[in-house]
Amino acid sequence: MSGMNKRRITSKELAKLAGVSSATISRAFSPDSRIGRATRDRILAVAREYGYQPNAIARSLNNQRSRLVALVVNAIGNPCEAEEQQLLVHRLQARQLLPIILCCADHSDRLQLMRLASTYQVDHVVVFSDMVSMQDAVDIFHTTKPIIVSFEPLENENVSSIRIDGSEAADEIIEKIVRDGKKRFAYLSGTNSSWIDKLRRRWFAEALAKRGLSFEAQAFGDYSYDSGFKEAVLLLHRDKVDAIICGNDVMAIGARDAARRVLGKSTPGDIAIVGQDGIAMAAWDCNDLTTLSLDHTAFIDAVVELIERHDAEIEGPHSITLTCSPRWGSTA
Amino acid sequence: MSGMNKRRITSKELAKLAGVSSATISRAFSPDSRIGRATRDRILAVAREYGYQPNAIARSLNNQRSRLVALVVNAIGNPCEAEEQQLLVHRLQARQLLPIILCCADHSDRLQLMRLASTYQVDHVVVFSDMVSMQDAVDIFHTTKPIIVSFEPLENENVSSIRIDGSEAADEIIEKIVRDGKKRFAYLSGTNSSWIDKLRRRWFAEALAKRGLSFEAQAFGDYSYDSGFKEAVLLLHRDKVDAIICGNDVMAIGARDAARRVLGKSTPGDIAIVGQDGIAMAAWDCNDLTTLSLDHTAFIDAVVELIERHDAEIEGPHSITLTCSPRWGSTA
DNA sequence: GCCGTTTGTGTAATCGTGTGCACAATCCAT
DNA sequence: ATGGATTGTGCACACGATTACACAAACGGC
């Protein structure tokens, strides 16, 4: 039974075994289809016996619908995206959609990768990564006409976007830090080019401006713990800042460790450190980070909502806006 | 140009445009194929102009080769697997293979999910998850005849496995802890049923047995920080142990925090805590965990090696064994 | 008993490529 | 110049399913 290198049985072969035509086999597997009750039961029984399942590749070719979804992400391990990826994958699976991961990290050729995925006629594309230009994504995928859900707003009928607004939350956080007496702020970016990074920085910059302040220094990391640690040492030592707003939580943890270990400073007493994302790890007892967090569930709900709208060809706003909220810890 | 809902152009249409037959179009895209140099160049130019790319779904149907790889994982966010997932995805992408993620976490119906993926005629299956029985995987995928790479050894010509041996490393770690004077050991499992968990526990149990010791207590978590924290409180309080071997690094960090915060104990002075996996986060300054670690790169090299062997239909041992090594931190 | 409707099934075309076979054209050696 | 080998291209079929259409059988109302 098991272990055999049995070739997969085809619908035509099963048809012969069940004494029907291959069309009838197909109908037996289509829920609402004109077929006799008895015939269907018999076919399903024989199918089970021989381990037959319709070939999804052939079905996709005929259907013009692959039920594949491309997820364009920066990295898989990265906690900042991981929780959302996890949620989304579950939601897709529940809808019988299979996710194909496109990982843009490092120097992999993102464009070639996206072109490869587009040849698989994916039904939808969800772009989490800020490493890829939305215009590139549209150009590559528009021939296959999937919907593209993305962080980055782009006026295009093929793109639905999710706008994130953290300005209020940033304002609350800055308010608290300023009240605590901090004066010299630094922003630690995750990249020096991404769209989302600039947006996040602007939220805080505006909150500072409102109070007659501005960033005294800016550094660039790569969203990693190590880069957070290294850049924070420089910021604290060279620029004498007493508050660091980080591009994500992981760098914030690195920065906090740098403050503690290298310079013997404490939070939030000596310096304030703020993360962004609101990953689960940030709430761990050993981290207890103050962070500008996004409701991951709401975010993924929005993604799924946009996908469904497009699936059902419902016209509607192609953009959903979500707001962030502060999560208070012991670092600011 | 962009934004148009242009339907994807087919090889037959492109053939008309280029004044050749569709067979010639196909040959233009097959690297080693009898076709005139000039013809190919002309076709590629026209193809670029119209944005033509061969349809991978149709190609797969014809080829009997989908270039899709199913990755069966517990979760995406889970750091213990994430690093390996990340590495593997990169290696696959470099080979023009696209990964389909099957996420087994929670109560999703793993079997149905695997059946769904198998209908897509995946070329390979890599099982990272210990939540799924290898026999189930074989039964579901054997009809499509992919190779299955798995942790769990199973004598079956369709399964290649990677055996992990951490007994020596466990021995070194126990040696150090015993020498430090610890006497009462506990094992904190990640699950109460998985194959890999039992294996890991045995490494340490044997090292203890060699010294006339054994586990005084055993607890069961779910690989999460919270469960590590909660179970450690019980173990330390109720069972008065002074050394906890954890099923993974994340639980170890939780246990360490519990020891520190709830009971005011320090490591490695008061109690010893050991993790497993060797994830990057374990080496962060704030964690500095002692852990039994596996070389992730070597692991993924092995996976890729097995995949390639099968791809090239090279016969060879279907099993590769890797050994672990201790990574010393300040918790044991 | 007869005709219109519903139900169930088979036939054949279709989805978009890849490739064996056939055949014309070109090339090279003698 | 000629025969054989090589090169380049088209035709037609296969891959495995779905589905419009046709048609036979069953059914129901009068």
Side-chain angles (χ1 to χ4, degrees), chain A residues 238-264:
Chain A
R238 179 190 59 197
D239 301 309
K240 314 284 186 208
V241 302
D242 54 10
I244 303 180
I245 313 295
C246 304
N248 73 351
D249 288 340
V250 174
M251 286 197 301
I253 294 173
R256 195 252 347 244
D257 283 352
R260 263 196 209 155
R261 289 289 291 247
V262 177
L263 299 172

Side-chain angles (χ1 to χ4, degrees), chain B residues 40 48 63 76 116 119 122 148 160 181 213 234 279 303 314 326:
Chain B
R40 162 171 284 152
R48 187 181 308 270
N63 273 352
I76 295 186
L116 177 58
T119 65
V122 293
I148 301 187
S160 292
L213 295 169
L234 286 177
I279 62 179
V303 173
I314 296 170

Side-chain angles (χ1 to χ4, degrees), chain B residues 10-11 23 26 52 55 58-59 62:
Chain B
T10 83
S11 91
S26 172
Y52 171 81
N55 181 326
R59 169 185 288 167
N62 184 297

Side-chain angles (χ1 to χ4, degrees), chain B residues 282-302:
Chain B
W284 289 0
D285 195 84
C286 54
N287 294 323
D288 196 23
L289 203 66
T290 293
T291 179
L292 185 155
S293 92
L294 178 62
D295 182 337
H296 302 307
T297 307
F299 179 77
I300 294 305
D301 282 347

Side-chain angles (χ1 to χ4, degrees), chain A residues 151-217:
Chain A
F151 262 138
E152 180 183 342
L154 181 68
E155 288 310 324
N156 186 303
E157 56 170 332
N158 288 333
V159 177
S160 292
S161 56
I162 295 179
R163 294 164 201 256
I164 314 275
D165 183 2
S167 48
E168 276 187 45
D171 198 75
E172 287 183 57
I173 290 174
I174 292 294
E175 169 69 20
K176 160 96 164 43
I177 297 178
V178 168
R179 188 173 300 167
D180 282 352
K182 302 294 188 294
K183 298 221 155 50
R184 298 180 55 87
F185 288 77
Y187 193 86
L188 175 47
S189 288
T191 64
N192 59 7
S193 61
S194 108
W195 183 86
I196 184 77
D197 188 85
K198 288 188 190 117
L199 177 64
R200 289 178 163 189
R201 183 155 56 87
R202 198 164 56 221
W203 297 334
F204 288 96
E206 284 172 0
L208 285 175
K210 219 158 110 181
R211 294 166 177 81
L213 295 168
S214 68
F215 285 119
E216 307 277 335

